[in-house]
Amino acid sequence: MAASLVFRLQDRGPELLREVLLERGWEEYDEEEREEEDWNLYWRSTAFRSSEYHNLLPWQRLNHHPKTVGITRKDCLARNLRRMRATVGSSLYDFSPTTFILPNDYTRFLAEYNKLRLTRGPSIYWICKPLDLSRGRGIFIFEDIKHFVYDCSVIVQRYVSNPLLISGYKFDLRIYVCVKSFHPLTVYIHQEGLVRFATEKYNLSSLNNLYSHLTNTSINKFGPFYKTEKEQVGPGCKWTMSKFRHFLNSQDVNQLLLWQRISNIVTLTLLTIAPSVPSCPNCVELFGFDILIDVKFKPWLLEVNYSPALTLDCPADITVKKGLISDLIDLMNYTFIDSLRQRAYQGQGYKQPCFNVNQHVLPKVKETKFQKRRNRNQSSQTQTLPLLKTLCKPEINQSQHAFVSNYNRHLPPVDLNKIYAARGRIINTTATKIQTDKTLNLILVGDFIRTFPFNTATLRASQSHKLDVKIVIQQLQRLTGQLATSDMEVKENKDRMK
Ligand code: ADP
């Protein structure tokens, strides 16, 4: 079955994904050779159109859920976190530095700036980031407002000025998060990830030195000390997460509590958009969460990256990203349903689906406006394809079931209920019991660990008709509370032993 799977890439990238999929025996989509719908995975670094979500066939997957911009754009993230702070309390949502979206929030920023200046004096720092840029471009840090000039929409954020340093170098963590589904919310965090270093020692007296304050590889690889063997950090600007774990071990840090806090940040951030993301069982998404740790080992969320970079700049990238992509494909759990694509197109050459719908009496399926327009534009050969969308309908009647099961009598019957269950849809037919593909809910897939749901209560909360955010939050608080208490007990015991 693996040999028959087809991937489609936007602008022929990312190269790493192509490499991994070809190694696994997948074939690359070629629009000259194949029907428009003849693929299993469509990977784009930019967003899909909403029509692309509406017209998915059962074997097709997309690498973005709809409407995740609510966490991946700096201003939307700030707004969503602010809203959650107002509704569920700021103590839980205290993991993001205070942020203002300018020009709209200029007066509020000024009030906060003046308040802090009066109560805390100088030595409060701010970081300004343009909304339309990424990879560290256009970012600057300032202490005094007289050095703050901006000419486009930006966010201004409290600068975390006491970062944890390794031999004097600042770093942040790139955590890879896969949201397998928003309904029910199902989240995996990859255990490998990247630690990204600044390439000059941290120094608050030189705020203009970006090689000292920013940890973006895109900036630091052009720094004068990029290739230099730096104390403890080594050459380059990246470590694997495994190497960082060894470092933490040597520092006598309660890693469990730190990772639980990071996992909480991921869950709480996703909760801000989960109820409003439309359900799309055929989608999966990889996010890059950037986390900064301060000297007190408190993790801070800096941003969530849409389509995190999959380029290979150094040995750490190769180790981490190759495994990541491979595990992601495993997590997608390609099953029997995915091989249906091949059946629909095999036999008489790729341009012709293998069955002729005119031989069957088909149930009428209501066409959407888009489908109508598309059907009108399609050639007679491809007009069969929209009818296959009967497969996508969760509520199926007996005649539809019979049609799909027998559309090719030479092949084993297709159990639609299994298909929908495998895609995470709830099927409510009296004839069949709901079956959930157990492999979907695995706790470990390669180096991916399922971090949500994490117990029976959160499983139930995520599977109810509407995600029960209140219950999820209670459970997160309880879990972190338990870990923090045991951490305190361990510390007290250690102090007593001294
Ligand atoms: P970009 O999308 O341009 O990469 P980020 O928000 O990730 O923007 O910021 C780039 C870098 O700036 C981060 O990797 C981090 O090193 C530093 N940085 C960003 N925000 C803060 C902050 N609030 N406090 C300290 N450092 C920050």
Side-chain angles (χ1 to χ4, degrees):
M1 190 193 86
S4 72
L5 296 168
V6 175
F7 63 95
R8 181 176 176 181
L9 304 178
Q10 174 195 29
D11 302 330
R12 297 185 57 78
E15 184 52 42
L16 175 66
L17 182 70
R18 167 187 288 109
E19 200 183 290
V20 171
L21 289 172
L22 289 176
E23 261 173 32
R24 287 172 159 243
W26 284 54
E27 290 168 22
E28 184 160 7
Y29 175 82
D30 178 342
E31 59 183 9
E32 300 291 313
E33 290 291 316
R34 293 180 183 273
E35 288 287 351
E36 207 189 318
E37 287 96 345
D38 189 9
W39 45 267
N40 294 94
L41 170 66
Y42 188 1
W43 186 284
R44 292 176 62 104
S45 52
T46 55
F48 291 98
R49 291 188 300 272
S50 61
S51 58
E52 288 174 293
Y53 290 107
H54 291 139
N55 290 286
L56 280 177
L57 291 163
W59 54 79
Q60 296 178 326
R61 322 271 184 107
L62 303 180
N63 73 316
H64 295 291
H65 291 277
K67 300 197 176 166
T68 51
V69 69
I71 53 170
T72 56
R73 250 186 65 151
K74 293 179 174 76
D75 53 338
C76 301
L77 175 67
R79 258 183 229 111
N80 276 321
L81 291 174
R82 197 182 285 173
R83 181 177 49 79
M84 288 303 267
R85 240 175 252 133
T87 48
V88 306
S90 52
S91 63
L92 202 58
Y93 277 86
D94 68 344
F95 53 81
S96 156
T98 312
T99 305
F100 300 92
I101 306 160
L102 272 56
N104 282 4
D105 289 343
Y106 187 77
T107 320
R108 288 173 58 188
F109 164 61
L110 209 58
E112 180 73 5
Y113 172 88
N114 287 327
K115 189 182 96 190
L116 288 171
R117 202 85 183 168
L118 272 178
T119 54
R120 310 263 293 266
S123 74
I124 299 287
Y125 301 86
W126 300 90
I127 184 165
C128 173
K129 315 182 198 179
L131 283 188
D132 293 332
L133 297 177
S134 60
R135 291 181 273 138
R137 290 170 296 179
I139 293 185
F140 61 93
I141 299 147
F142 62 94
E143 187 183 9
D144 194 321
I145 204 157
K146 67 176 185 260
H147 298 130
F148 175 46
V149 186
Y150 67 102
D151 56 6
C152 58
S153 298
V154 297
I155 64 161
V156 173
Q157 194 170 64
R158 267 291 287 274
Y159 187 61
V160 180
S161 56
N162 59 344
L164 185 65
L165 304 176
I166 296 182
S167 292
Y169 293 94
K170 177 176 170 178
F171 63 91
D172 72 0
L173 309 181
R174 164 60 55 88
I175 308 280
Y176 294 102
V177 174
C178 173
V179 179
K180 178 109 197 265
S181 150
F182 272 98
H183 304 281
L185 184 61
T186 314
V187 184
Y188 288 79
I189 298 186
H190 205 257
Q191 289 184 76
E192 259 310 349
L194 288 165
V195 183
R196 310 175 317 157
F197 286 91
T199 46
E200 291 192 30
K201 292 210 174 185
Y202 188 68
N203 184 354
L204 280 170
S205 337
S206 59
L207 295 180
N208 292 336
N209 184 356
L210 298 184
Y211 303 125
S212 153
H213 290 275
L214 304 193
T215 52
N216 304 76
T217 310
S218 45
I219 301 265
N220 282 287
K221 67 181 176 190
F222 298 110
F225 300 100
Y226 177 65
K227 290 191 179 149
T228 311
E229 178 73 40
K230 294 172 282 297
E231 188 188 342
Q232 210 172 358
V233 173
C237 66
K238 276 184 198 166
W239 277 7
T240 63
M241 202 62 83
S242 309
K243 188 164 177 181
F244 182 59
R245 284 206 178 87
H246 279 119
F247 165 80
L248 288 178
N249 271 341
S250 69
Q251 301 294 302
D252 204 18
V253 177
N254 182 347
Q255 286 210 40
L256 206 59
L257 184 59
L258 177 66
W259 295 117
Q260 184 56 47
R261 282 190 174 147
I262 292 175
S263 163
N264 287 1
I265 291 180
V266 169
T267 309
L268 290 166
T269 305
L270 291 167
L271 281 184
T272 66
I273 55 162
S276 60
V277 172
S279 175
C280 185
N282 290 31
C283 299
V284 76
E285 186 151 2
L286 183 70
F287 295 102
F289 278 63
D290 290 346
I291 305 278
L292 184 80
I293 300 172
D294 71 16
V295 275
K296 293 181 183 151
F297 285 94
K298 176 182 162 72
W300 293 88
L301 175 69
L302 299 184
E303 70 160 343
V304 182
N305 290 274
Y306 189 82
S307 291
L310 294 176
T311 42
L312 303 180
D313 284 326
C314 61
D317 273 348
I318 299 171
T319 314
V320 171
K321 294 180 184 174
K322 222 172 164 184
L324 170 76
I325 291 299
S326 198
D327 292 343
L328 184 70
I329 305 300
D330 286 340
L331 192 57
M332 287 186 195
N333 184 35
Y334 281 89
T335 59
F336 174 69
I337 166 99
D338 305 292
S339 64
L340 290 178
R341 189 214 90 254
Q342 195 186 20
R343 295 200 190 158
Y345 295 96
Q346 77 191 0
Q348 300 157 47
Y350 276 122
K351 287 283 175 196
Q352 197 139 17
C354 67
F355 61 95
N356 180 353
V357 283
N358 299 326
Q359 289 166 4
H360 300 269
V361 180
L362 290 167
K364 273 225 167 349
V365 181
K366 203 168 176 289
E367 285 179 314
T368 62
K369 254 190 192 163
F370 173 79
Q371 283 169 327
K372 270 191 193 143
R373 200 174 54 240
R374 196 173 67 154
N375 291 348
R376 263 202 311 275
N377 296 338
Q378 275 170 333
S379 70
S380 57
Q381 271 184 339
T382 55
Q383 269 172 6
T384 54
L385 283 170
L387 295 167
L388 263 178
K389 290 194 177 66
T390 49
L391 277 164
C392 300
K393 262 191 101 212
E395 282 95 30
I396 45 166
N397 63 33
Q398 285 307 312
S399 66
Q400 284 170 313
H401 196 292
F403 158 67
V404 182
S405 300
N406 295 313
Y407 77 83
N408 188 335
R409 256 173 271 126
H410 304 295
L411 297 166
V414 178
D415 182 346
L416 276 189
N417 293 301
K418 252 196 181 150
I419 291 169
Y420 297 133
R423 285 285 187 271
R425 289 184 194 213
I426 307 287
I427 312 147
N428 209 356
T429 58
T430 42
T432 353
K433 271 196 182 155
I434 297 170
Q435 291 178 11
T436 312
D437 185 340
K438 290 201 174 57
T439 55
L440 273 187
N441 282 318
L442 280 179
I443 292 189
L444 257 183
V445 179
D447 276 339
F448 271 115
I449 298 188
R450 199 190 68 202
T451 54
F452 190 88
F454 54 84
N455 62 13
T456 326
T458 47
L459 180 72
R460 245 186 266 126
S462 65
Q463 285 183 331
S464 62
H465 169 62
K466 215 173 140 232
L467 178 71
D468 195 332
V469 175
K470 225 169 139 186
I471 299 268
V472 174
I473 283 173
Q474 276 170 7
Q475 293 296 318
L476 278 176
Q477 279 171 322
R478 181 185 288 183
L479 184 66
T480 318
Q482 281 165 359
L483 283 169
T485 315
S486 67
D487 183 49
M488 265 162 56
E489 281 167 7
V490 169
K491 278 189 185 137
E492 277 168 16
N493 284 341
K494 272 189 185 160
D495 287 347
R496 247 181 259 131
M497 307 265 280
K498 273 181 192 163

